[in-house]
Structures are given as structure tokens and as C-alpha cells.
Amino acid sequence: NAGVTQTPKFRVLKTGQSMTLLCAQDMNHEYMYWYRQDPGMGLRLIHYSVGEGTTAKGEVPDGYNVSRLKKQNFLLGLESAAPSQTSVYFCASSRSRGGEAETQYFGPGTRLLVL
Amino acid sequence: GDSVTQMEGPVTLSEEAFLTINCTYTATGYPSLFWYVQYPGEGLQLLLKATKADDKGSNKGFEATYRKETTSFHLEKGSVQVSDSAVYFCALSVRNTGKLIFGQGTTLQVKP
């Protein structure tokens, strides 16, 4: 049981390049989330998904796209990377919403540097 | 909108000192409240949580009580260890959405 895994761990991009971050969970969770973490700002929600085939915008969605083609995977895409997207990206998943099931489980993070 | 405010860090303590990290929140309705911990180079882990007013969450010697009247969820530990050095995040769950709103995080450094 690996929990939540993220690929890659670290990446350097040039401005304008594209890339996809992969998140996978083996806990059969319905809900999945992408956050970015910046110094002094905590974690901010980029996009989330409440089930296979669904996605929704979070607090800071601009410049990112997501897809949830399989229940266990949640992909975050950057079509044209900008230096402002330099950050640490965390994926999380949860069983459901509300009550005891709402605890989110986090991956180890992906550190992205955009030059 | 909903928000979480934590005390500014970093907090530097000597081993065996008493720890308090303040957290207050603004929310419509009655959210669940969480403390997550992030050790260096790792993702966030759930430390404790409380789902209704007056509930006390506890884990690994840490405690926090859900205070509706003061909209607070302060984290406490009676005797910190060097291994407690980490960043601590307070968060609330927006009811019926599954979304978490995080505070900015408080860095704790414990010196031997």
C-alpha cells in the first residue's frame, strides 16, 4: 500500500515549456486534489476532482489543466510554464467529503523550477 | 469567505518546553478542523482533527480543542522534542465540499 505517489520528484523547465505531473493513489479514494505550496502562503488549491471523469477549479486554477481519466490517477498539466509557477506541488486524496471520511492524504510533493 | 490564520513563525523552543501554536478561523457553518505536520522534505501528514465544537483531537502528545465561541483550534504539547521540529498547518474543511483551507504554516524548531 503505497498511499499517494507523485512523479516526478523534481523538474526544471524553461519558460514556455509544457509538462505533466502525475499523481496516483491506491486507496480507492473518490476525491483528489492538487495544491501548490509557496513560502508564507500555506497550501492553495489548484484543481480538484470528486470522481473519475470530473474536475473542478480551486482557488488558483489559471495556467493549469487537469484530467481524471482513471479513478486512481489525477494529472496536472502546465501548457506553457511561467516563472510564477515555480513552486512545490502536492497531490492529495480523500475517501469522500464530510464527516470522518474527509481526511486528506498527501503525496511527497514535486518541486518545480521554471527558469 | 472561509479562512484560517496561524501565528507567525518561526517558533524556537528548547527541548521539553511547552508549545502553543495559535490558530483561529472564519467560516460559515461548522467546519471540521485539522492540524497537519510537514517534516523536512516530506508531504503533509494528518496530526489530529476535531469534527465538532468542544471536541479534543490528540496524537503523539499534541492536543487541540475545537472552540466555537472563540473560533479557535490552538495546538499544544506539554514537552517538545527535537524530533517535533517541522512546519505545522492548521486547516478547516469546507462543509460538504471536501476542500481544505490552510493557514500559512508555522515553523517549529526545537533545540537540544
Side-chain angles (χ1 to χ4, degrees):
Chain A
N1 189 336
V4 179
T5 58
Q6 293 182 231
T7 309
K9 289 184 169 52
F10 175 70
R11 183 77 181 268
V12 179
L13 288 180
K14 295 181 179 178
T15 296
Q17 288 184 318
S18 63
M19 78 164 294
T20 300
L21 283 67
L22 172 63
C23 175
Q25 52 94 5
D26 61 2
M27 297 175 282
N28 201 35
H29 284 171
E30 289 293 331
Y31 282 51
M32 297 186 75
Y33 313 83
W34 276 108
Y35 295 90
R36 59 177 289 171
Q37 182 182 28
D38 302 294
M41 301 188 74
L43 275 74
R44 293 180 292 169
L45 183 64
I46 304 171
H47 286 281
Y48 65 103
S49 168
V50 301
E52 182 178 320
T54 74
T55 63
K57 294 180 180 180
E59 183 185 358
V60 288
D62 293 342
Y64 305 94
N65 56 74
V66 288
S67 63
R68 183 100 181 267
L69 299 180
K70 294 182 178 180
K71 185 177 183 179
Q72 64 268 34
N73 295 338
F74 195 30
L75 278 63
L76 177 71
L78 286 72
E79 291 184 347
S80 179
S84 61
Q85 294 178 303
T86 292
S87 189
V88 181
Y89 292 86
F90 287 100
C91 177
S93 69
S94 66
R95 188 154 50 93
S96 183
R97 63 184 185 191
E100 294 298 312
E102 62 196 338
T103 298
Q104 292 187 18
Y105 297 85
F106 284 79
T110 295
R111 188 173 297 273
L112 177 64
L113 174 61
V114 182
L115 301 176
Chain B
D2 296 355
S3 65
V4 175
T5 301
Q6 291 181 233
M7 64 187 288
E8 292 281 339
V11 174
T12 302
L13 296 173
S14 298
E15 209 165 21
E16 300 184 0
F18 184 85
L19 168 71
T20 300
I21 300 178
N22 290 338
C23 171
T24 57
Y25 68 90
T26 301
T28 53
Y30 303 102
S32 293
L33 300 173
F34 303 80
W35 277 101
Y36 280 83
V37 59
Q38 184 181 30
Y39 298 104
E42 298 184 10
L44 278 70
Q45 305 173 22
L46 178 68
L47 181 59
L48 53 85
K49 66 181 181 182
T51 57
K52 60 183 188 294
D54 299 325
D55 267 3
K56 177 185 283 189
S58 61
N59 186 27
K60 299 181 181 179
F62 291 88
E63 294 183 337
T65 301
Y66 190 138
R67 301 284 188 202
K68 188 177 70 171
E69 62 276 11
T70 55
T71 61
S72 64
F73 193 54
H74 304 322
L75 182 68
E76 296 182 336
K77 186 175 186 182
S79 177
V80 294
Q81 305 301 312
V82 172
S83 57
D84 293 327
S85 298
V87 182
Y88 293 81
F89 292 93
C90 185
L92 67 83
S93 176
V94 181
R95 280 290 185 206
N96 297 319
T97 69
K99 292 190 284 186
L100 287 178
I101 294 176
F102 287 88
Q104 72 269 37
T106 302
T107 300
L108 170 66
Q109 184 177 26
V110 180
K111 296 188 173 181

